[in-house]
Amino acid sequence: MGDAGMKNQVITVSPMSAYTGAEISGVDLTKPLSDQARSEIRQAINEWGAVFFREQELTPAQQLAFARQFGTTEEDTHVSNMTGVDGLPDVKEVVREADEVRNIGGFWHMDQSFYDLPSCFSVLYARELPPNGGDTMFSHLSAAYDALSTALEKLSGVHVRAHADSAAINAAASGLSFEYYVESRKRFGGIEATHPIVAMHPESGRKVLYFSPVYTDRFDGWTRDESLPLMKYLTGILGKPEHTCRFRWQEGSMAMWDNRAVVHYALDDYTGHRRLMHRVTVNGPWLEPCPKTT
Ligand code: OGA
Ligand code: MN
């Protein structure tokens, strides 16, 4: 890892840690990207899993236009409980009100892993932030894979949508009612998907541990009780501090991460303050099975 690869001509890439995250400067995201700038951003994402831009002043339409330079957007192909911003269903509000105790994404996860074909990139823009707290952490799934002493390539994981709510309810002082959980289960209960636990990133060629301590319910063909001990072990590997970076948002900050390469975690530490983010997700080629080694 490190600064291997082509030298950038347009953007400046400043890595944030050994494996994960880089800040990018030298681009104005309100304007269409040159092919060179776009390919350098892609390259940085392939290397660091998540990239961050600062001091960008974007309307929701400009955020959407930026995202669409990397692929088609969700266009409501997925059932979602997130609202779109006026007239733009693909720009979702990720919001927590000052009097709310529910935190979206307050656990290690990749977006939409409970769909057969999740979106590849998430593009998240900060609109309103708490005075402090509300950072987001990222952890590289290739670093997790590299830390494993055994290849888990024969296993698949079943990812279950409803676990997001059950995690929120179990969180200390969540304030969510059991009725909320029941209602949400009715709506999203059936949504689940099976993915290989170890897969290959189609662009970087790196192997990843595609596992979430919350969304992954069990290994395919195993009972949940059989799965729990090994899942607990994988949970200890995933999100190891050395594999992570932590992004401190400012107004005008934008993050773009690759759900095939990193998990993320929205820190739940700003109770009493409003936080508003806009999210666009981008489609692309999904993870591939690992090439057979024998
Ligand atoms: C998301 C998410 C993290 C955050 O939008 O998918 O997990 O910090 N957000 O808001
Ligand atoms: Mn998320």
Side-chain angles (χ1 to χ4, degrees), residues 217-270:
D217 176 74
R218 62 189 183 277
F219 300 111
D220 191 31
W222 299 28
T223 66
R224 180 154 167 91
D225 281 353
E226 286 168 345
S227 306
L228 281 171
L230 182 51
M231 294 207 302
K232 196 168 168 203
Y233 175 74
L234 295 181
T235 300
I237 304 260
L238 194 101
K240 208 169 176 290
E242 288 82 349
H243 301 168
T244 68
C245 73
R246 176 169 173 156
F247 186 62
R248 174 98 175 89
W249 296 92
Q250 296 166 323
E251 246 162 72
S253 298
M254 192 157 83
M256 178 171 178
W257 67 86
D258 185 338
N259 287 299
R260 304 164 299 181
V262 292
V263 280
H264 56 285
Y265 189 126
L267 296 190
D268 189 356
D269 59 356
Y270 54 95

Side-chain angles (χ1 to χ4, degrees), residues 82 94 104-105 109 111 122 124 134-136 249 257 264-267 275 277 279:
M82 292 186 216
V94 176
I104 295 172
H109 68 287
D111 291 334
S122 298
L124 192 67
D135 295 358
T136 310
W249 296 92
W257 67 86
H264 56 285
Y265 189 126
L267 296 190
R275 182 175 181 270
M277 317 291 276
R279 192 183 89 174

Side-chain angles (χ1 to χ4, degrees), residues 31-278:
K31 305 213 172 76
L33 298 169
S34 64
D35 289 348
Q36 183 65 24
R38 194 182 55 212
S39 97
E40 289 180 13
I41 292 170
R42 286 297 296 261
Q43 171 74 23
I45 295 174
N46 278 337
E47 190 160 2
W48 300 106
V51 296
F52 306 95
F53 305 87
R54 294 211 185 260
E55 293 174 8
Q56 303 288 334
E57 221 173 284
L58 297 176
T59 64
Q62 285 171 326
Q63 182 186 355
L64 184 60
F66 167 79
R68 285 198 171 145
Q69 296 174 93
F70 295 89
T72 56
T73 52
E74 192 168 18
E75 288 168 8
D76 277 347
T77 43
H78 296 133
V79 189
S80 178
N81 59 343
M82 292 186 216
T83 323
V85 175
D86 346 292
L88 301 168
D90 282 359
V91 183
K92 308 284 191 212
E93 276 194 348
V94 176
V95 65
R96 176 164 144 188
E97 301 298 343
D99 61 356
E100 266 184 318
V101 277
R102 168 180 146 83
N103 205 34
I104 295 172
F107 49 88
W108 287 118
H109 68 287
M110 48 288 268
D111 291 334
Q112 306 177 340
S113 66
F114 38 80
Y115 295 128
D116 290 328
L117 193 56
S119 297
C120 293
F121 302 113
S122 298
V123 177
L124 192 67
Y125 183 65
R127 297 230 160 253
E128 249 184 87
L129 295 168
N132 55 289
D135 295 358
T136 310
M137 293 188 70
F138 297 83
S139 190
H140 211 294
L141 296 170
S142 293
Y145 172 80
D146 290 344
L148 289 166
S149 57
T150 50
L152 301 163
E153 296 179 12
K154 292 201 181 77
L155 299 179
S156 290
V158 182
H159 296 244
V160 173
R161 164 68 178 83
H163 282 336
D165 299 310
S166 112
I169 288 193
N170 289 335
S174 86
L176 284 179
S177 66
F178 186 70
E179 287 67 33
Y180 171 91
Y181 175 67
V182 170
E183 197 41 50
S184 166
R185 253 213 107 98
K186 258 193 247 156
R187 229 173 128 200
F188 301 113
I191 299 177
E192 59 175 56
T194 303
H195 300 284
I197 286 287
V198 177
M200 201 185 71
H201 193 283
E203 277 147 74
S204 68
R206 290 158 81 187
K207 288 182 184 175
V208 297
L209 176 71
Y210 195 76
F211 169 79
S212 160
V214 168
Y215 285 150
T216 312
D217 176 74
R218 62 189 183 277
F219 300 111
D220 191 31
W222 299 28
T223 66
R224 180 154 167 91
D225 281 353
E226 286 168 345
S227 306
L228 281 171
L230 182 51
M231 294 207 302
K232 196 168 168 203
Y233 175 74
L234 295 181
T235 300
I237 304 260
L238 194 101
K240 208 169 176 290
E242 288 82 349
H243 301 168
T244 68
C245 73
R246 176 169 173 156
F247 186 62
R248 174 98 175 89
W249 296 92
Q250 296 166 323
E251 246 162 72
S253 298
M254 192 157 83
M256 178 171 178
W257 67 86
D258 185 338
N259 287 299
R260 304 164 299 181
V262 292
V263 280
H264 56 285
Y265 189 126
L267 296 190
D268 189 356
D269 59 356
Y270 54 95
T271 305
H273 299 282
R274 185 171 205 256
R275 182 175 181 270
L276 171 65
M277 317 291 276
H278 283 176

